[in-house]
């Protein structure tokens, strides 16, 4: 039976509840919902044996079939979450942020659900195009796009390129073929602080992304773009940060961006038809965490945009948003096998066969997760443990102070929900440990969509003698 999430241990059958998506719309002006959000795919449930199943397939069966560590991605959850944004903003552009997680299967699902795609490199673009995604529905951005990135974008014919610096304007114009006009957006910094960690707050001055509105740098860049006959400026772009769980920062950004749009019209005679507000929509990682609701976001942001444009006597630009983590994150579950249980210094450590090479987020940002025993039930009392990885770093910690049964032992299977975004996409081969596979599940069936990186793969890259 579908459920929002398994309960914390000590384990009990996961009680039935309706799927979390879609959520009913919030009336304009009403307070946004900030209650607990689902950690697991809606298909997750506990079997009578105590095993956890996702997409109709027991996780223990997937671990036996594909090995551990491994990632399980619920296709139906991905599609439901894509549809939630499409339903909330039917007239807007919804561009899946591929940096969260990208593979050919994900590209196909996103395409079939009618979403656009946001990429950050020639590599992501190449994967998408060769998977059959229409290049005209691709947005390319990044703070330091290489000449190879820009040439690939022009060669494939991407729909939008987001310019991030003054120097990039002339560089792209020089690469664009004569007689063509590449559509571009300008990434601006509205001066809005938002995001769960200082390292991911990109809407403020003093970081590497975009051109500040304050001080006139953004406006100066607009003038430069307008002077390039091979570039067509169609709008502004901003991205405030990551893991934002309130709509307030977005409405503040709308006010500042509309003010800039009005100045551009008054001073330079240009009315821009598009506004890309980026993504950064937060999800739940632990029980009780809030998450952004697409319907509440849509109501507040579109109302604010319409109001500010009316005051400025501007036509309302077409809105684009870029959900990535929100779509992929709760659709993914990471699987690990317990290798050792050790108590030292008054702490109990549970060591697993993965770690910071497949999920660097705890080490980078102090990200916190919940962990669930997935292969059996247990009547043992829960105790707080620290789940650590296999790598040669004291900071190789996957989850701190999580409740797991006191009889946990080597060979047990642990599942980490909300693992579909920024795990495998940020993975490395530290200690020459290959990156895990990804198995997609739907309707009681599983298939491999990304194979495990083998020792042969790692050796093949080493061509020295």
């Amino acid at each position: 039976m579908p459920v929002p999430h398994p309960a914390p241990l000590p384990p009990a059958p996961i009680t039935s509840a309706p799927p979390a998506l879609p959520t009913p719309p919030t009336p304009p002006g009403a307070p946004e919902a900030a209650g607990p959000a689902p950690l697991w795919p809606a298909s997750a449930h506990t079997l009578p044996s105590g095993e956890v199943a996702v997409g109709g397939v027991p996780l223990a069966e997937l671990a036996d079939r594909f090995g551990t560590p491994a990632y399980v991605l619920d296709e139906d959850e991905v599609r439901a979450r894509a549809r939630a944004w499409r339903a909330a903003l039917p007239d807007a552009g919804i561009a899946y942020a591929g940096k969260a997680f990208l593979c050919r299967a994900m590209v196909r699902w996103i395409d079939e659900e009618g979403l656009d795609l946001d990429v950050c490199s020639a590599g992501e673009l190449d994967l998408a195009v060769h998977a059959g995604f229409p290049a005209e529905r691709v947005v390319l951005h990044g703070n330091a796009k290489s000449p190879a990135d820009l040439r690939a974008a022009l060669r494939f014919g991407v729909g939008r390129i987001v310019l991030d610096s003054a120097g990039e304007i002339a560089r792209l114009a020089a690469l664009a073929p004569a007689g063509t006009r590449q559509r571009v957006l300008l990434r601006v910094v509205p001066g809005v602080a938002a995001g769960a960690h200082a390292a991911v707050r990109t809407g403020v001055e003093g970081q590497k992304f975009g051109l500040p509105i304050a001080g006139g740098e953004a406006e100066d860049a607009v003038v430069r773009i307008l002077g390039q006959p091979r570039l067509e400026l169609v709008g502004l772009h901003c991205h405030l940060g990551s893991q934002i769980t309130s709509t307030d920062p977005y409405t503040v950004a709308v006010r500042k961006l509309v003010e800039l749009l009005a100045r551009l019209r008054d001073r330079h005679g240009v009315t821009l038809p598009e506004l890309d507000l980026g993504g950064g929509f937060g999800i739940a990682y632990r029980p009780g965490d809030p998450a952004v609701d697409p319907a509440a976001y849509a109501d507040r942001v579109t109302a604010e945009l319409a109001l500010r444009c009316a005051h400025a006597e501007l036509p309302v630009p077409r809105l684009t948003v870029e959900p990535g983590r929100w779509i992929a994150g709760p659709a993914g579950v990471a699987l690990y096998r317990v290798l050792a249980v050790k108590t030292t210094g008054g702490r109990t450590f549970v060591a697993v066969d993965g770690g910071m090479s497949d999920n660097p987020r705890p080490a980078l940002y102090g990200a916190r997760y919940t962990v669930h025993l997935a292969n059996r039930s247990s009547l043992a009392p829960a105790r707080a443990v620290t789940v650590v990885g296999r790598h040669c770093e004291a900071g190789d910690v996957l989850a701190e102070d999580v409740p797991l049964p006191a009889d946990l032992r080597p060979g047990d299977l642990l599942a980490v929900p909300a693992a579909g975004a920024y795990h495998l996409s940020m993975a490395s081969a530290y200690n020459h440990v290959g990156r895990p596979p990804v198995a997609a599940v739907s309707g009681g069936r599983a298939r491999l969509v990304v194979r495990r990186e083998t020792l042969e793969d790692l050796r093949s890259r080493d061509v020295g003698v």
Side-chain angles (χ1 to χ4, degrees):
M1 300 176 67
V3 297
H5 56 270
L9 292 176
I14 304 175
T15 55
S16 168
L21 295 171
T23 50
T26 301
E32 60 185 294
L39 302 178
W40 298 75
S43 67
H45 65 285
T46 299
L47 301 173
S49 63
E51 295 179 82
V52 176
V54 172
V57 185
L59 296 181
E61 178 183 317
L62 295 172
D64 290 341
R65 179 176 170 186
F66 299 111
T68 55
Y71 286 98
V72 178
L73 195 62
D74 188 324
E75 175 183 346
D76 298 329
E77 184 77 10
V78 169
R79 291 182 182 274
R81 289 180 163 269
R83 290 168 189 165
W85 279 101
R86 173 54 64 213
L89 290 164
D91 300 320
I94 312 296
Y96 171 70
K99 59 183 177 287
F101 172 72
L102 202 63
C103 68
R104 286 185 294 178
M106 178 66 86
V107 168
R108 180 172 62 83
W109 302 339
I110 292 302
D111 186 14
E112 291 175 352
E113 296 302 329
L115 271 59
D116 296 338
L117 182 62
D118 159 38
V119 301
C120 296
S121 69
E124 291 179 351
L125 175 59
D126 182 82
L127 187 152
V129 171
H130 283 89
F133 198 88
E136 63 271 16
R137 285 169 40 207
V138 172
V139 179
L140 170 71
H141 67 77
N143 72 294
K145 294 181 281 296
S146 70
D149 293 330
L150 295 176
R151 282 194 291 267
L154 293 167
R155 183 174 71 254
F156 288 125
V158 303
R160 305 287 186 275
I161 296 176
V162 181
L163 295 170
D164 196 273
S165 65
E168 197 170 63
I169 298 168
R171 188 176 306 121
L172 177 61
L175 291 172
T180 65
R181 296 196 76 198
Q182 172 62 51
R183 293 181 176 181
V184 299
L185 303 167
L186 178 68
R187 179 163 178 171
V188 302
V189 179
V192 178
H197 190 281
V200 295
R201 292 173 191 152
T202 57
V204 292
E205 294 84 0
Q207 44 75 39
K208 69 177 186 175
F209 292 102
L211 292 159
I213 295 176
E217 293 175 63
E219 190 171 339
D220 291 344
V222 166
V223 174
R224 293 192 185 195
I225 298 171
L226 295 176
Q228 294 288 352
R230 299 182 186 182
L231 303 181
E232 179 186 358
L233 180 63
V234 296
L236 302 178
H237 179 287
C238 81
H239 182 77
L240 302 181
S242 295
Q243 194 56 11
I244 302 168
T245 56
S246 169
T247 59
D248 290 341
Y250 297 102
T251 58
V252 175
V254 164
R255 293 197 289 272
K256 296 192 175 187
L257 290 166
V258 171
E259 290 171 0
L260 176 57
L261 289 172
R263 286 199 301 274
L264 296 177
R265 177 201 57 195
D266 296 341
R267 297 178 182 177
H268 307 290
V270 58
T271 300
L272 300 179
E274 299 180 16
L275 185 62
D276 189 329
L277 291 181
F281 309 117
I283 64 170
Y285 284 98
R286 295 187 297 167
D289 284 352
V292 167
D293 169 54
Y297 172 93
D299 285 336
R300 290 203 62 193
V301 169
T302 57
E304 185 72 25
L305 182 59
L307 176 66
R308 298 297 164 177
C309 287
H311 286 171
E313 298 182 336
L314 279 170
V316 178
R318 184 173 189 262
L319 183 66
T320 295
V321 296
E322 300 172 353
R325 179 200 316 264
W326 199 96
I327 291 174
V333 178
L335 302 181
Y336 299 100
R337 193 74 72 180
V338 174
L339 299 179
V341 179
K342 177 170 60 177
T343 299
T344 179
R347 299 176 67 189
T348 299
F349 295 92
V350 176
V352 298
D353 54 0
M356 65 190 300
S357 64
D358 58 78
N359 181 12
R361 295 187 68 253
L364 287 174
Y365 311 132
R368 304 287 300 275
Y369 289 85
T370 190
V371 184
H372 195 82
L373 177 62
N375 63 303
R376 62 181 176 91
S377 61
S378 172
L379 297 177
R383 61 176 174 177
V385 304
T386 298
V387 180
V388 297
R390 59 175 294 180
H391 297 288
C392 295
E393 299 283 344
D396 181 22
V397 175
L398 289 173
E400 289 191 271
D401 297 325
V402 292
L404 286 171
D407 65 350
L408 197 70
R409 52 186 181 262
D412 276 334
L413 183 69
L414 300 183
V416 179
Y422 298 107
H423 285 218
L424 197 56
S425 64
M426 298 177 73
S428 72
Y430 183 43
N431 293 152
H432 267 225
V433 175
R435 289 171 291 183
V438 180
V441 294
S442 176
R445 296 184 177 183
R447 68 187 190 280
L448 192 67
V449 294
V450 179
R451 68 170 175 82
R452 185 181 302 279
E453 188 174 36
T454 66
L455 296 180
E456 290 76 11
D457 293 328
L458 298 175
R459 285 199 305 270
S460 70
R461 298 182 64 245
D462 190 338
V463 298
V465 292

